[in-house]
């Protein structure tokens, strides 16, 4: 439901008292006191207030303060259309659009699976990291695997951060059709799914990080004991390990500071 965006119509006909009630009802709606708001809008709509008829129609259409009822929503909005309210036709179209997308709304509220951010779709090949390497060729191969995986994991993190908030996850055309309760339920489910995904990939990243450090230390130790130059000339995984730590921290920061907005 939108705020009343036009000058109170028919103010002279309904009087200042009606305008005050309309303002009170709108304020209650904005404070999410939907039942109280619904009662006032109903009284005013039945007395012929066209602005209240629009708001009441939307409340029926979105199930706010009352059980969702598309028939009653259409009735009140058509009343307002007949009286020439400039927003009534758009509101009626919005309510009808909501009915067409019930399954899409239900997906985010009940069945969201995180498919838009799943790690597997990036096809990051986990690096094969031995306990240690003893030749320059082995070191180069392991480094290449670590570097490739870290770069791929970084792309996953960037995508994850771009969709982590509900307003970025829920398609805009569906977000505008949700009522407050649906949005709150979707937010909880999205947060739960993303938290699980973040925990899984963080565990994976910690594993790669730990294996990389252990491999590097063991390989450098072997090089020192055998007077080889592997550690100084070829091992370059330090930077990749630092990048890995930074991307993990970025993910953790995003999870803790994700912003929430209201659906309408």
């Amino acid at each position: 439901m939108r705020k009343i965006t036009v000058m109170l119509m028919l103010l002279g006909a309904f009087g200042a008292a009606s305008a005050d009630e309309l303002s009170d009802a709108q304020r209650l709606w904005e404070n999410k006191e939907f039942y109280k708001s619904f009662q006032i809008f109903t009284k005013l709509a039945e007395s012929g207030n066209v602005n209240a008829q629009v708001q009441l129609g939307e409340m029926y259409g979105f199930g706010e303060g009352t059980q969702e009822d598309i028939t009653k929503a259409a009735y009140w909005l058509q009343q307002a259309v007949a009286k020439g309210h400039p927003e009534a036709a758009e509101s009626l179209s919005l309510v009808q659009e909501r009915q067409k997308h019930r399954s899409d709304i239900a997906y985010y509220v009940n069945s969201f699976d995180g498919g838009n951010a799943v790690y597997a779709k990036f096809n990051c090949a986990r690096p094969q990291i031995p306990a240690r390497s003893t030749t320059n060729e082995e070191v180069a191969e392991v480094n290449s695997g670590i570097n490739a995986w870290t770069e791929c994991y970084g792309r996953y993190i960037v995508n994850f951060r771009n969709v982590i908030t509900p307003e970025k996850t829920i398609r805009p055309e569906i977000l505008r059709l949700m009522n407050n309760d649906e949005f709150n339920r979707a937010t909880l489910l999205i947060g739960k799914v993303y938290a699980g995904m973040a925990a899984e990939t963080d565990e994976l990243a910690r594993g790669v990080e730990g294996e990389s450090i252990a491999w590097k230390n063991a390989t450098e130790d072997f090089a020192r004991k055998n007077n080889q130059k592997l550690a100084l000339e070829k091992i370059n995984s330090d930077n990749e390990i630092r990048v890995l730590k930074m991307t993990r921290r970025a993910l953790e920061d995003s999870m803790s500071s994700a912003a929430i907005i209201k659906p309408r």
Side-chain angles (χ1 to χ4, degrees):
M1 181 187 298
R2 299 179 302 278
K3 290 184 179 181
I4 298 174
T5 57
V6 296
M7 187 68 69
L8 294 179
M9 299 177 67
L10 307 179
L11 181 58
F14 292 106
S18 177
D20 288 343
E21 286 186 293
L22 192 63
S23 178
D24 287 343
Q26 184 67 42
R27 176 180 51 79
L28 288 167
W29 181 86
E30 291 171 359
N31 291 335
K32 297 182 175 57
E33 297 181 62
F34 297 123
Y35 180 75
K36 292 180 180 179
S37 176
F38 174 78
Q39 301 303 310
I40 301 175
F41 281 133
T42 298
K43 172 188 172 183
L44 294 176
E46 290 176 345
S47 70
N49 187 304
V50 67
N51 287 297
Q53 290 172 349
V54 172
Q55 301 292 71
L56 183 62
E58 286 197 5
M59 292 192 81
Y60 271 120
F62 280 82
E64 293 175 333
T66 186
Q67 184 174 351
E68 187 172 344
D69 190 323
I70 185 62
T71 300
K72 291 181 179 180
Y75 169 79
W76 286 112
L77 290 170
Q78 286 167 353
Q79 292 287 310
V81 169
K83 292 178 181 179
H85 192 288
E87 296 182 355
E90 181 183 350
S91 293
L92 179 58
S93 176
L94 186 68
V95 167
Q96 292 170 337
E97 190 71 12
R98 171 177 162 82
Q99 295 304 308
K100 296 177 184 178
H101 290 280
R102 300 297 304 180
S103 61
D104 295 308
I105 294 172
Y107 166 71
Y108 292 109
V109 173
N110 302 314
S111 308
F112 178 73
D113 58 4
N116 58 334
V118 66
Y119 170 78
K121 78 176 187 178
F122 287 83
N123 297 315
C124 299
R126 197 184 195 289
Q128 299 300 309
I129 305 175
R132 71 177 184 183
S133 295
T134 59
T135 68
N136 285 334
E137 291 74 19
E138 290 177 359
V139 169
E141 182 178 356
V142 174
N143 272 322
S144 177
I146 294 174
N147 296 349
W149 182 86
T150 302
E151 192 274 334
C152 186
Y153 180 78
R155 292 200 306 273
Y156 159 75
I157 293 295
V158 169
N159 178 73
F160 196 94
R161 296 182 70 187
N162 284 339
V163 301
I164 197 170
T165 55
E167 73 272 18
K168 291 181 179 179
T169 292
I170 301 171
R171 288 166 23 218
E173 67 271 23
I174 303 304
L175 182 63
R176 66 193 289 267
L177 301 176
M178 285 180 162
N179 64 29
N180 189 72
D181 179 64
E182 290 163 345
F183 176 76
N184 288 338
R185 290 166 60 194
T187 296
L188 289 175
L189 179 58
I190 289 169
K192 181 179 179 180
V193 170
Y194 281 159
M197 292 170 60
E200 289 180 2
T201 53
D202 183 66
E203 182 178 359
L204 172 62
R206 288 178 185 275
V208 173
E209 180 183 328
E211 290 177 18
S212 298
I213 293 172
W215 166 77
K216 174 182 178 296
N217 290 339
T219 301
E220 288 179 334
D221 186 59
F222 171 83
R224 281 193 298 270
K225 290 179 179 178
N226 292 274
N227 290 320
Q228 295 190 30
K229 296 183 179 180
L230 295 176
L232 295 177
E233 292 186 357
K234 290 295 183 179
I235 294 182
N236 61 17
S237 62
D238 278 352
N239 183 59
E240 283 65 40
I241 292 171
R242 282 194 293 270
V243 171
L244 182 56
K245 289 180 178 179
M246 291 173 62
T247 53
R248 283 183 42 247
R249 290 189 188 117
L251 175 58
E252 292 169 357
D253 291 343
S254 297
M255 289 295 294
S256 63
S257 62
I260 304 299
I261 65 167
K262 293 183 291 185
R264 296 189 297 135

